[in-house]
Each structure stands twice: as structure tokens, then as C-alpha cells.
Amino acid sequence: MKRILAIALVVMLGISTQSFAQSKVLNRTITAENGKKMLTGEFNRKALEEEGFKEWYHSEYDSYEVEKSKLKSIKNLRNYRLEVFVGTWCPDSRRELPRLYKILDDIKFPQNRLKVIGVNRQKKSFYGEEINKNITHVPTIIVYNNKKEEVGRIVESPVSGYLEEDLAQIVNGTPLTPNYAK
């Protein structure tokens, strides 16, 4: 009986230790050489409410006017998964990320289907989420179908000039060739 209890205790300790070891830190902020803060690794919108981020985030989010006429064609985006690589130090990311959030809010996109990852100036994230994803410029918005296959991406800025239009092209199966495509 004592032996069974001892084995059970060892197994329970192993499981709890493993679950602690596998948990990722969300909203990791680091300070760059120039003293400016940046997010690295996965983060959520709450991180953008912190000092150093909220000013540019709210400024762009509040001033952006969503192309409502294009929203109907991206309602199906809710059936996809988005992975967004940004540099919170990058002017393009600071422009496009708040715009993307506003568009996603308007179509009631499920937040559990959105993953936002901060990268440093070398396009590296804390946990290596960028590995094998060909992240050469930020922001990079990757759209995946339910089979977890990439169906399109937007790199740095929308080719059409509007995130709504580029997302509609991806959802409709006619993605535009992204900037910097080889």
C-alpha cells in the first residue's frame, strides 16, 4: 500500500512539474539597448495598455475608420486562425496592429483564434515562434484555415492599401502576392 502511494505521489509530482515547465509567459516586456520597451513572445491586447505602448495603440485604433463596405466579404474570417508577428518598435506594426484589432472587433472575431507575437529587431521572438515561418518584415499577418494550413499572408502593409481588402482576397481564395514575396 505504501509503495502504491509513493508511486502515485511521484507521478503526481511529475505531472505538476511538467505543467509548470511548459507554461509560457504572456505579455513579456524587455528593454532594448536604447532604453525603449518592446514586447517579445506572445502577448494579448492587455499588454498594449501599458506605458510605452498605449499611446500609439490608442491613437491609431481610435483614428482608423474601418471600410465598412468591405466587412461583409470578411465575415468568414471568423472561421480562420490568425498569427500576427509584430515589432512594437516598428512604425508599420504600430500602424497595422491597431487597425487589425479594430477590424477584428467589428466582425466579432473570436480572440481565441488570434495569436499575436512580438519580435525584436532581428525578427526573433522569446520562444522561437517565428522559426520556419519566413518572418522577414513586420508586421506579418498569417491566415490559416482549419486544417492549420497557411492560406495567405500580409507582409508589412496591405498590397491593396486596405487590410480589409487583402483579408477579403485571402478569405475568398484569391490572395494578393504579399510584399517581399520571393
Side-chain angles (χ1 to χ4, degrees):
M1 181 69 167
K2 287 182 183 180
R3 187 174 177 178
I4 293 173
L5 286 173
I7 292 171
L9 181 61
V10 168
V11 169
M12 287 174 52
L13 271 172
I15 291 171
S16 65
T17 303
Q18 184 179 11
S19 65
F20 283 120
Q22 291 179 351
S23 63
K24 285 186 177 181
V25 173
L26 192 65
N27 301 336
R28 181 183 302 276
T29 302
I30 62 170
T31 304
E33 308 80 44
N34 62 5
K36 301 241 177 172
K37 292 187 336 181
M38 71 173 79
L39 292 163
T40 182
E42 188 175 350
F43 68 91
N44 60 26
R45 202 181 317 203
K46 182 180 177 187
L48 298 172
E49 294 298 330
E50 299 297 321
E51 215 47 56
F53 309 116
K54 67 181 179 181
E55 296 80 9
W56 59 261
Y57 173 75
H58 284 291
S59 174
E60 190 62 45
Y61 184 94
D62 295 342
S63 66
Y64 185 65
E65 294 195 25
V66 174
E67 291 292 319
K68 301 281 187 190
S69 63
K70 296 180 182 2
L71 289 183
K72 189 183 294 181
S73 59
I74 63 169
K75 289 281 186 198
N76 288 341
L77 186 64
R78 294 183 294 213
N79 299 323
Y80 292 80
R81 193 171 56 83
L82 300 179
E83 193 170 45
V84 184
F85 290 87
V86 298
T88 54
W89 44 267
C90 167
D92 295 323
S93 293
R94 289 179 172 203
R95 179 187 65 242
E96 301 300 338
L97 182 61
R99 291 177 178 188
L100 178 64
Y101 269 123
K102 192 159 189 180
I103 293 164
L104 297 179
D105 287 347
D106 275 14
I107 66 167
K108 296 177 179 28
F109 187 82
Q111 292 303 298
N112 65 342
R113 298 179 77 74
L114 172 68
K115 186 175 186 180
V116 182
I117 299 122
V119 296
N120 63 19
R121 292 180 183 275
Q122 291 73 43
K123 315 303 183 296
K124 305 287 182 214
S125 66
F126 191 81
Y127 291 107
E129 294 97 338
E130 79 291 344
I131 295 171
N132 297 323
K133 302 270 176 85
N134 192 29
I135 306 302
T136 59
H137 295 77
V138 288
T140 295
I141 303 166
I142 306 174
V143 181
Y144 296 95
N145 62 18
N146 283 329
K147 296 176 187 170
K148 299 184 179 176
E149 301 166 328
E150 181 177 330
V151 294
R153 66 173 55 200
I154 301 168
V155 179
E156 198 171 53
S157 62
V159 174
S160 69
Y162 296 95
L163 280 174
E164 300 90 331
E165 180 63 34
D166 282 24
L167 289 168
Q169 294 287 332
I170 292 169
V171 168
N172 294 324
T174 57
L176 300 168
T177 302
N179 296 317
Y180 308 103
K182 292 180 182 176

